Amino acid sequence: MEAKIITPTVTIFDDHGNIDLEGNKLLIKHLIDNGVNGAVPLGSSGEFTKLSLDEKKKLIKLYVDESQGKLELIPGTSSLNVEECIELSNYAISLGVKGVLILPPFYYGISQEEAFHYYDVLAQKIDGNIYIYNFSARTGFDMSAETTFNLAKKHKNIKGMKDSTANLTHTKEVILKVKEIRDDFEVYSGFDDHFVPNIIAGGSGCIAAMSNFEPKLWSNWVKAINNGNFEEVKKIGNMIDKLMPLYNVEKNFSHIFKKFLIDGGLNISEYTIFPFEELSDKDYEFAKNLRNKVMTRR
Protein backbone atom coordinates (compact mmCIF):
# COMPACT_ATOMS: atom_id res chain seq x y z
CA MET A 1 0.00 0.00 0.00
CA GLU A 2 1.61 3.26 -1.13
CA ALA A 3 1.78 6.31 1.11
CA LYS A 4 -0.67 9.13 0.48
CA ILE A 5 -1.23 12.78 1.31
CA ILE A 6 -4.88 13.71 1.83
CA THR A 7 -5.56 17.45 2.22
CA PRO A 8 -8.01 18.54 4.95
CA THR A 9 -9.15 21.52 2.96
CA VAL A 10 -9.94 24.99 4.16
CA THR A 11 -13.44 26.18 3.21
CA ILE A 12 -13.49 29.25 1.01
CA PHE A 13 -16.20 31.77 1.94
CA ASP A 14 -17.05 35.08 0.34
CA ASP A 15 -16.60 38.31 2.30
CA HIS A 16 -20.07 37.87 3.82
CA GLY A 17 -19.53 34.33 5.10
CA ASN A 18 -21.37 32.45 2.36
CA ILE A 19 -19.75 29.45 0.67
CA ASP A 20 -17.85 30.74 -2.37
CA LEU A 21 -18.35 28.05 -5.00
CA GLU A 22 -15.88 29.56 -7.45
CA GLY A 23 -13.28 30.04 -4.73
CA ASN A 24 -13.56 26.42 -3.66
CA LYS A 25 -13.23 25.33 -7.29
CA LEU A 26 -9.93 27.21 -7.46
CA LEU A 27 -8.68 25.38 -4.39
CA ILE A 28 -9.71 21.98 -5.77
CA LYS A 29 -7.90 22.68 -9.05
CA HIS A 30 -4.85 23.89 -7.11
CA LEU A 31 -4.67 20.58 -5.23
CA ILE A 32 -5.21 18.41 -8.30
CA ASP A 33 -2.61 20.32 -10.33
CA ASN A 34 -0.04 19.85 -7.56
CA GLY A 35 -0.51 16.12 -7.14
CA VAL A 36 -2.15 15.45 -3.78
CA ASN A 37 -3.94 12.12 -3.49
CA GLY A 38 -7.18 13.22 -1.90
CA ALA A 39 -9.15 15.76 0.09
CA VAL A 40 -11.17 16.00 3.29
CA PRO A 41 -13.62 18.87 2.97
CA LEU A 42 -15.49 19.79 6.16
CA GLY A 43 -12.81 18.67 8.57
CA SER A 44 -11.37 20.85 11.32
CA SER A 45 -9.48 22.95 8.75
CA GLY A 46 -12.79 23.42 6.94
CA GLU A 47 -14.54 25.26 9.78
CA PHE A 48 -17.49 22.89 9.50
CA THR A 49 -19.16 24.15 12.68
CA LYS A 50 -20.43 27.24 10.85
CA LEU A 51 -22.30 25.39 8.12
CA SER A 52 -25.87 24.15 7.88
CA LEU A 53 -26.71 20.65 6.64
CA ASP A 54 -27.71 22.01 3.22
CA GLU A 55 -24.49 24.01 2.93
CA LYS A 56 -22.44 20.93 3.78
CA LYS A 57 -24.25 18.93 1.11
CA LYS A 58 -23.62 21.68 -1.43
CA LEU A 59 -19.90 21.73 -0.67
CA ILE A 60 -19.52 17.95 -0.80
CA LYS A 61 -21.30 17.82 -4.17
CA LEU A 62 -19.02 20.56 -5.47
CA TYR A 63 -15.97 18.49 -4.52
CA VAL A 64 -17.35 15.40 -6.23
CA ASP A 65 -18.28 17.29 -9.39
CA GLU A 66 -15.05 19.27 -9.63
CA SER A 67 -12.55 16.56 -8.74
CA GLN A 68 -14.01 14.14 -11.33
CA GLY A 69 -12.36 11.17 -9.66
CA LYS A 70 -8.92 12.79 -9.50
CA LEU A 71 -9.05 13.05 -5.71
CA GLU A 72 -9.99 10.45 -3.12
CA LEU A 73 -12.69 12.23 -1.14
CA ILE A 74 -13.35 11.59 2.55
CA PRO A 75 -15.61 14.45 3.66
CA GLY A 76 -16.14 15.19 7.32
CA THR A 77 -19.73 14.48 8.37
CA SER A 78 -19.44 14.96 12.14
CA SER A 79 -22.41 16.34 14.05
CA LEU A 80 -23.65 16.20 17.63
CA ASN A 81 -27.01 15.41 16.04
CA VAL A 82 -26.49 11.76 15.11
CA GLU A 83 -29.43 11.74 12.67
CA GLU A 84 -27.82 14.63 10.79
CA CYS A 85 -24.48 12.81 10.77
CA ILE A 86 -26.10 9.71 9.29
CA GLU A 87 -28.07 11.69 6.70
CA LEU A 88 -25.03 13.67 5.55
CA SER A 89 -22.86 10.56 5.48
CA ASN A 90 -25.29 8.62 3.31
CA TYR A 91 -25.75 11.62 1.04
CA ALA A 92 -21.99 11.88 0.52
CA ILE A 93 -21.64 8.16 -0.09
CA SER A 94 -24.48 8.26 -2.63
CA LEU A 95 -22.33 10.71 -4.63
CA GLY A 96 -19.47 8.22 -4.77
CA VAL A 97 -16.99 9.45 -2.13
CA LYS A 98 -14.42 7.01 -0.76
CA GLY A 99 -15.78 7.30 2.77
CA VAL A 100 -16.69 9.75 5.52
CA LEU A 101 -14.66 11.05 8.47
CA ILE A 102 -16.52 11.18 11.78
CA LEU A 103 -15.55 12.50 15.21
CA PRO A 104 -16.82 10.73 18.32
CA PRO A 105 -19.45 12.68 20.29
CA PHE A 106 -17.95 15.74 21.94
CA TYR A 107 -18.96 18.08 24.77
CA TYR A 108 -20.30 15.23 26.92
CA GLY A 109 -17.56 12.97 28.20
CA ILE A 110 -17.75 9.41 26.89
CA SER A 111 -16.15 6.08 27.77
CA GLN A 112 -14.50 3.58 25.45
CA GLU A 113 -17.66 1.46 25.69
CA GLU A 114 -19.84 4.39 24.64
CA ALA A 115 -17.52 5.21 21.76
CA PHE A 116 -17.75 1.62 20.58
CA HIS A 117 -21.54 1.81 20.79
CA TYR A 118 -21.58 5.07 18.80
CA TYR A 119 -19.53 3.80 15.87
CA ASP A 120 -21.18 0.38 16.05
CA VAL A 121 -24.56 2.00 15.39
CA LEU A 122 -23.16 4.32 12.71
CA ALA A 123 -21.56 1.39 10.89
CA GLN A 124 -24.96 -0.28 10.63
CA LYS A 125 -26.77 2.84 9.43
CA ILE A 126 -24.22 4.32 7.03
CA ASP A 127 -24.04 2.64 3.63
CA GLY A 128 -20.32 3.00 3.06
CA ASN A 129 -16.88 3.40 4.57
CA ILE A 130 -16.35 5.22 7.87
CA TYR A 131 -13.06 6.71 9.02
CA ILE A 132 -12.79 7.37 12.75
CA TYR A 133 -11.51 10.86 13.54
CA ASN A 134 -9.52 10.68 16.77
CA PHE A 135 -8.77 14.25 17.91
CA SER A 136 -8.59 14.26 21.67
CA ALA A 137 -7.49 17.90 21.89
CA ARG A 138 -10.90 18.91 20.51
CA THR A 139 -13.17 16.15 21.82
CA GLY A 140 -11.60 15.37 25.20
CA PHE A 141 -11.65 11.68 24.28
CA ASP A 142 -8.87 9.41 23.00
CA MET A 143 -9.98 6.34 21.08
CA SER A 144 -7.94 3.37 22.30
CA ALA A 145 -6.24 0.85 20.03
CA GLU A 146 -8.38 -1.88 21.64
CA THR A 147 -11.67 -0.10 20.87
CA THR A 148 -10.51 0.58 17.31
CA PHE A 149 -9.54 -3.08 16.92
CA ASN A 150 -12.94 -4.26 18.14
CA LEU A 151 -14.76 -1.95 15.74
CA ALA A 152 -12.57 -2.96 12.80
CA LYS A 153 -13.12 -6.62 13.65
CA LYS A 154 -16.91 -6.29 13.73
CA HIS A 155 -17.45 -3.92 10.79
CA LYS A 156 -15.69 -4.08 7.41
CA ASN A 157 -16.95 -0.58 6.66
CA ILE A 158 -14.98 0.84 9.58
CA LYS A 159 -12.25 1.49 7.08
CA GLY A 160 -9.63 3.56 8.87
CA MET A 161 -8.67 6.35 11.23
CA LYS A 162 -7.30 9.86 11.18
CA ASP A 163 -5.23 10.00 14.36
CA SER A 164 -4.67 13.66 15.25
CA THR A 165 -2.52 13.24 18.30
CA ALA A 166 0.89 14.40 19.41
CA ASN A 167 1.40 10.90 20.85
CA LEU A 168 3.11 8.91 18.12
CA THR A 169 3.01 5.81 20.31
CA HIS A 170 -0.80 5.88 20.15
CA THR A 171 -0.79 5.92 16.34
CA LYS A 172 1.68 3.04 16.20
CA GLU A 173 -0.39 1.03 18.67
CA VAL A 174 -3.51 1.48 16.53
CA ILE A 175 -1.66 0.48 13.36
CA LEU A 176 -0.02 -2.59 14.84
CA LYS A 177 -3.14 -3.76 16.68
CA VAL A 178 -5.62 -3.45 13.82
CA LYS A 179 -3.19 -4.81 11.22
CA GLU A 180 -3.38 -8.12 13.08
CA ILE A 181 -6.78 -8.66 11.46
CA ARG A 182 -7.20 -6.05 8.71
CA ASP A 183 -4.56 -5.36 6.05
CA ASP A 184 -6.98 -2.95 4.38
CA PHE A 185 -7.41 -0.70 7.45
CA GLU A 186 -5.96 2.76 6.75
CA VAL A 187 -4.40 4.85 9.50
CA TYR A 188 -3.51 8.45 8.66
CA SER A 189 -1.67 10.80 10.97
CA GLY A 190 -3.13 14.26 11.47
CA PHE A 191 0.20 15.96 12.20
CA ASP A 192 2.39 16.75 9.18
CA ASP A 193 5.62 15.82 10.93
CA HIS A 194 4.33 12.31 11.76
CA PHE A 195 4.28 11.21 8.13
CA VAL A 196 7.51 9.21 8.06
CA PRO A 197 7.04 7.35 11.37
CA ASN A 198 3.46 6.62 10.31
CA ILE A 199 4.68 4.91 7.14
CA ILE A 200 7.46 3.05 8.94
CA ALA A 201 4.87 1.62 11.35
CA GLY A 202 2.69 0.45 8.45
CA GLY A 203 0.28 3.39 8.20
CA SER A 204 -1.16 5.02 5.10
CA GLY A 205 0.24 8.55 5.30
CA CYS A 206 -1.12 11.89 6.45
CA ILE A 207 -4.22 14.02 6.40
CA ALA A 208 -2.15 17.15 6.87
CA ALA A 209 -3.29 20.76 6.53
CA MET A 210 -0.06 22.31 5.26
CA SER A 211 -0.78 20.57 1.97
CA ASN A 212 -3.40 23.29 1.34
CA PHE A 213 -0.70 25.87 0.61
CA GLU A 214 2.31 23.60 -0.05
CA PRO A 215 0.70 20.73 -2.00
CA LYS A 216 3.70 20.28 -4.31
CA LEU A 217 6.11 19.98 -1.40
CA TRP A 218 3.84 17.35 0.09
CA SER A 219 3.30 15.38 -3.12
CA ASN A 220 7.07 15.39 -3.68
CA TRP A 221 7.55 14.03 -0.15
CA VAL A 222 5.07 11.23 -0.81
CA LYS A 223 6.76 10.43 -4.12
CA ALA A 224 10.17 10.34 -2.42
CA ILE A 225 9.08 7.88 0.25
CA ASN A 226 7.25 5.66 -2.25
CA ASN A 227 10.37 5.63 -4.46
CA GLY A 228 12.75 5.01 -1.56
CA ASN A 229 14.63 8.28 -2.09
CA PHE A 230 15.93 8.65 1.46
CA GLU A 231 17.88 11.86 0.89
CA GLU A 232 14.78 13.64 -0.44
CA VAL A 233 12.60 12.20 2.34
CA LYS A 234 15.04 13.56 4.91
CA LYS A 235 15.38 16.95 3.20
CA ILE A 236 11.64 17.60 2.94
CA GLY A 237 11.03 16.19 6.41
CA ASN A 238 13.43 18.75 7.83
CA MET A 239 11.51 21.51 6.05
CA ILE A 240 8.18 20.26 7.38
CA ASP A 241 9.62 20.19 10.92
CA LYS A 242 10.62 23.84 10.57
CA LEU A 243 7.15 24.80 9.27
CA MET A 244 5.26 23.18 12.16
CA PRO A 245 5.26 26.36 14.34
CA LEU A 246 2.76 27.80 11.84
CA TYR A 247 0.05 25.80 13.62
CA ASN A 248 0.68 27.69 16.85
CA VAL A 249 0.48 31.26 15.55
CA GLU A 250 -3.35 31.18 15.66
CA LYS A 251 -5.67 28.65 17.29
CA ASN A 252 -7.63 28.56 14.04
CA PHE A 253 -4.75 28.34 11.59
CA SER A 254 -7.14 28.36 8.60
CA HIS A 255 -6.96 32.16 8.43
CA ILE A 256 -3.21 32.14 7.90
CA PHE A 257 -3.43 29.29 5.41
CA LYS A 258 -6.06 31.15 3.36
CA LYS A 259 -3.81 34.22 3.24
CA PHE A 260 -0.96 32.00 2.03
CA LEU A 261 -3.23 30.77 -0.77
CA ILE A 262 -4.03 34.37 -1.70
CA ASP A 263 -0.31 35.21 -1.71
CA GLY A 264 0.14 32.27 -4.06
CA GLY A 265 -2.30 33.73 -6.58
CA LEU A 266 -5.70 32.27 -5.70
CA ASN A 267 -8.46 34.86 -6.06
CA ILE A 268 -10.29 34.08 -2.83
CA SER A 269 -11.43 35.82 0.34
CA GLU A 270 -9.61 35.35 3.63
CA TYR A 271 -12.94 35.30 5.52
CA THR A 272 -12.62 33.12 8.62
CA ILE A 273 -15.32 32.18 11.11
CA PHE A 274 -16.04 34.18 14.27
CA PRO A 275 -14.23 34.75 16.59
CA PHE A 276 -11.12 34.12 14.49
CA GLU A 277 -11.78 36.76 11.85
CA GLU A 278 -9.07 39.09 13.14
CA LEU A 279 -5.45 38.34 12.32
CA SER A 280 -2.81 40.82 13.44
CA ASP A 281 -0.23 42.09 10.97
CA LYS A 282 2.48 41.04 13.42
CA ASP A 283 1.30 37.42 13.56
CA TYR A 284 0.90 37.17 9.81
CA GLU A 285 4.31 38.69 9.15
CA PHE A 286 5.84 36.15 11.52
CA ALA A 287 4.06 33.29 9.71
CA LYS A 288 4.93 34.58 6.25
CA ASN A 289 8.57 35.16 7.12
CA LEU A 290 8.87 31.71 8.63
CA ARG A 291 7.40 30.08 5.54
CA ASN A 292 9.56 32.14 3.17
CA LYS A 293 12.72 31.37 5.13
CA VAL A 294 12.07 27.64 5.00
CA MET A 295 10.93 27.46 1.39
CA THR A 296 13.72 29.62 -0.08
CA ARG A 297 16.18 26.99 1.15
CA ARG A 298 14.52 24.39 -1.05
Side-chain angles (χ1 to χ4, degrees):
M1 187 183 297
E2 290 196 331
K4 295 177 183 178
I5 173 58
I6 310 292
T7 304
T9 51
V10 296
T11 299
I12 309 303
F13 301 100
D14 65 23
D15 290 334
H16 304 288
N18 305 304
I19 291 178
D20 180 359
L21 297 180
E22 294 305 314
N24 284 288
K25 288 179 184 178
L26 292 174
L27 177 58
I28 294 166
K29 184 177 187 302
H30 169 68
L31 297 177
I32 292 171
D33 289 348
N34 285 284
V36 304
N37 302 105
V40 174
L42 299 173
S44 301
S45 307
E47 302 174 298
F48 72 94
T49 56
K50 171 184 169 57
L51 301 175
S52 69
L53 178 60
D54 286 344
E55 288 173 318
K56 291 175 183 178
K57 287 181 176 180
K58 183 186 297 185
L59 188 63
I60 291 171
K61 189 173 190 309
L62 177 73
Y63 266 82
V64 172
D65 291 346
E66 289 299 310
S67 64
Q68 297 182 335
K70 296 176 183 176
L71 295 173
E72 294 183 3
L73 298 177
I74 312 173
T77 56
S78 302
S79 174
L80 286 177
N81 181 333
V82 68
E83 287 81 13
E84 180 177 301
C85 173
I86 292 167
E87 180 181 343
L88 183 60
S89 297
N90 282 327
Y91 172 77
I93 288 163
S94 75
L95 298 178
V97 302
K98 179 179 179 178
V100 292
L101 182 68
I102 303 176
L103 288 161
F106 44 97
Y107 182 74
Y108 295 106
I110 61 170
S111 65
Q112 295 294 329
E113 292 76 17
E114 288 160 341
F116 179 89
H117 177 52
Y118 183 74
Y119 286 103
D120 180 32
V121 170
L122 291 183
Q124 297 172 61
K125 294 190 175 184
I126 293 174
D127 302 323
N129 291 330
I130 296 170
Y131 291 77
I132 297 166
Y133 188 1
N134 187 48
F135 197 0
S136 59
R138 295 292 180 269
T139 65
F141 171 78
D142 200 18
M143 178 78 73
S144 72
E146 186 69 25
T147 301
T148 308
F149 173 88
N150 290 333
L151 285 165
K153 184 177 181 180
K154 183 172 182 180
H155 297 289
K156 288 294 184 183
N157 66 328
I158 302 283
K159 183 67 174 176
M161 171 184 279
K162 177 184 179 183
D163 200 21
S164 291
T165 174
N167 183 4
L168 261 171
T169 300
H170 180 273
T171 308
K172 292 176 183 178
E173 286 176 350
V174 171
I175 293 169
L176 295 174
K177 183 72 176 173
V178 181
K179 290 290 185 179
E180 293 175 11
I181 55 165
R182 290 273 302 276
D183 286 337
D184 66 329
F185 193 84
E186 303 170 21
V187 178
Y188 296 93
S189 289
F191 285 24
D192 301 64
D193 56 344
H194 289 187
F195 173 61
V196 174
N198 173 290
I199 296 303
I200 291 172
S204 299
C206 261
I207 299 176
M210 279 197 282
S211 59
N212 278 278
F213 64 88
E214 290 293 351
K216 193 64 176 178
L217 180 69
W218 251 107
S219 62
N220 285 341
W221 203 17
V222 169
K223 187 182 300 182
I225 205 160
N226 285 335
N227 292 339
N229 184 346
F230 176 71
E231 286 303 315
E232 186 72 355
V233 170
K234 184 171 67 171
K235 182 178 180 181
I236 297 176
N238 184 255
M239 295 172 69
I240 293 290
D241 286 343
K242 291 176 179 176
L243 289 170
M244 289 301 292
L246 291 171
Y247 284 108
N248 298 320
V249 179
E250 284 269 304
K251 288 293 184 183
N252 183 0
F253 52 80
S254 298
H255 198 160
I256 290 173
F257 290 7
K258 289 175 189 179
K259 285 181 71 69
F260 282 166
L261 288 167
I262 293 168
D263 289 347
L266 263 65
N267 183 22
I268 60 173
S269 169
E270 66 182 74
Y271 180 97
T272 306
I273 63 171
F274 176 82
F276 307 103
E277 72 275 22
E278 300 294 335
L279 176 63
S280 73
D281 291 340
K282 179 182 177 182
D283 283 347
Y284 187 63
E285 283 303 308
F286 170 83
K288 185 167 67 172
N289 290 338
L290 172 62
R291 180 193 179 195
N292 290 342
K293 182 179 179 181
V294 173
M295 295 309 297
T296 52
R297 292 182 179 179
R298 179 80 173 102

